[in-house]
């Protein structure tokens, strides 16, 4: 059974940097990047390119927000560590992919959340069955005010519950503030 870690914190808190330093302790590293830039989003495209340029050349990269469990099942034993950065982007992409053009009702929100939870369960299961350590990076987005619109409130609630789902299953949880990690579990 593989060891798993969750690294959480606010935007620009240093959580990815901390997780990358943890991953760099190992020889064979796979980086699962869940951020997908759309054609008209030049700002996000630039951010992705910047992230790609800072990764060590010997790290393998898998860029996707679907099929991660299958990737772990097929490649999990080829690496010492697999870093998934980030859960928030994974949930964002799954959320909007599953929602599509539908209006967000309570029933649809429950359906979307159940599908995301199922996907995360599959990732956790595949991660446990691999020999690689799995490092999840996520954002702690529930520390601010209650969002004014339903879509944002529903998303905040879903990512909060997904983070709890992962935290329950992993052996280590770190919260990073201003580049300083604090172990909570």
């Amino acid at each position: 059974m593989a060891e798993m870690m969750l690294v959480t914190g606010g935007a620009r808190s240093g959580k990815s940097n901390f997780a990358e330093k943890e991953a760099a302790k190992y020889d064979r590293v796979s980086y699962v990047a869940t951020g997908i830039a759309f054609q008209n989003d030049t700002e996000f495209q630039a951010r992705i390119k910047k992230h790609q340029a800072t990764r060590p050349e010997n790290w393998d990269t898998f860029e996707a927000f679907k099929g991660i469990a299958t990737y772990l099942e097929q490649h999990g034993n080829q690496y010492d560590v697999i870093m998934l950065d980030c859960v928030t982007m994974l949930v964002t992409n799954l959320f909007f992919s599953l929602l599509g053009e539908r209006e967000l009702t309570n029933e649809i929100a429950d359906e979307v959340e159940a599908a995301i939870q199922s996907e995360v369960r599959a990732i956790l299961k595949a991660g446990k069955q691999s020999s690689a350590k799995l490092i999840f990076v996520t954002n702690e987005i529930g520390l601010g005010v209650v969002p004014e619109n339903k879509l944002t409130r529903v998303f905040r609630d879903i990512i909060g519950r997904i983070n709890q789902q992962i935290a329950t299953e992993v052996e280590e949880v770190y919260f990073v503030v201003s580049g300083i990690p604090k172990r909570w579990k």
Side-chain angles (χ1 to χ4, degrees), residues 127-169:
K128 286 179 183 179
Q129 293 174 346
S130 79
S131 61
K133 179 174 185 169
L134 185 55
I135 301 173
F136 293 93
V137 179
T138 193
N139 288 285
E140 194 61 48
I141 65 170
L143 296 173
V145 298
V146 175
E148 68 178 57
N149 69 67
K150 180 176 183 168
L151 180 78
T152 309
R153 284 191 304 272
V154 167
F155 176 79
R156 180 215 43 199
D157 292 350
I158 290 173
I159 190 62
R161 287 189 286 267
I162 293 297
N163 286 345
Q164 291 177 53
Q165 178 183 3
I166 295 169
T168 299
E169 297 293 323

Side-chain angles (χ1 to χ4, degrees), residues 9-179:
R12 302 291 162 260
S13 64
K15 62 193 174 298
S16 291
N17 189 38
F18 170 71
E20 288 173 1
K21 286 179 182 174
E22 289 296 307
K25 295 176 182 177
Y26 298 86
D27 294 326
R28 299 173 301 150
V29 179
S30 176
Y31 190 103
V32 177
T34 61
I36 306 297
F38 297 99
Q39 281 184 323
N40 59 349
D41 193 348
T42 56
E43 177 190 351
F44 199 64
Q45 289 170 356
R47 287 179 67 179
I48 288 173
K49 287 196 183 305
K50 186 175 180 181
H51 274 280
Q52 291 169 335
T54 62
R55 284 183 218 135
E57 289 184 19
N58 64 322
W59 287 14
D60 291 336
T61 301
F62 177 67
E63 295 180 347
F65 69 93
K66 291 182 179 178
I68 294 172
T70 301
Y71 174 79
L72 294 174
E73 290 165 359
Q74 294 173 350
H75 303 284
N77 294 327
Q78 297 171 5
Y79 298 101
D80 300 317
V81 66
I82 298 172
M83 182 176 153
L84 189 151
D85 193 2
C86 81
V87 173
T88 311
M89 287 304 303
L90 170 68
V91 171
T92 300
N93 289 327
L94 288 171
F95 180 86
F96 286 108
S97 175
L98 292 162
L99 180 61
E101 299 297 320
R102 299 180 293 174
E103 181 181 335
L104 185 64
T105 63
N106 291 340
E107 294 77 22
I108 290 173
D110 291 344
E111 171 194 320
V112 167
E113 181 172 0
I116 294 170
Q117 287 176 339
S118 178
E119 185 73 24
V120 170
R121 249 189 321 278
I123 292 169
L124 288 163
K125 180 180 177 188
K128 286 179 183 179
Q129 293 174 346
S130 79
S131 61
K133 179 174 185 169
L134 185 55
I135 301 173
F136 293 93
V137 179
T138 193
N139 288 285
E140 194 61 48
I141 65 170
L143 296 173
V145 298
V146 175
E148 68 178 57
N149 69 67
K150 180 176 183 168
L151 180 78
T152 309
R153 284 191 304 272
V154 167
F155 176 79
R156 180 215 43 199
D157 292 350
I158 290 173
I159 190 62
R161 287 189 286 267
I162 293 297
N163 286 345
Q164 291 177 53
Q165 178 183 3
I166 295 169
T168 299
E169 297 293 323
V170 301
E171 290 76 27
E172 299 174 78
V173 176
Y174 289 87
F175 186 72
V176 181
V177 177
S178 300

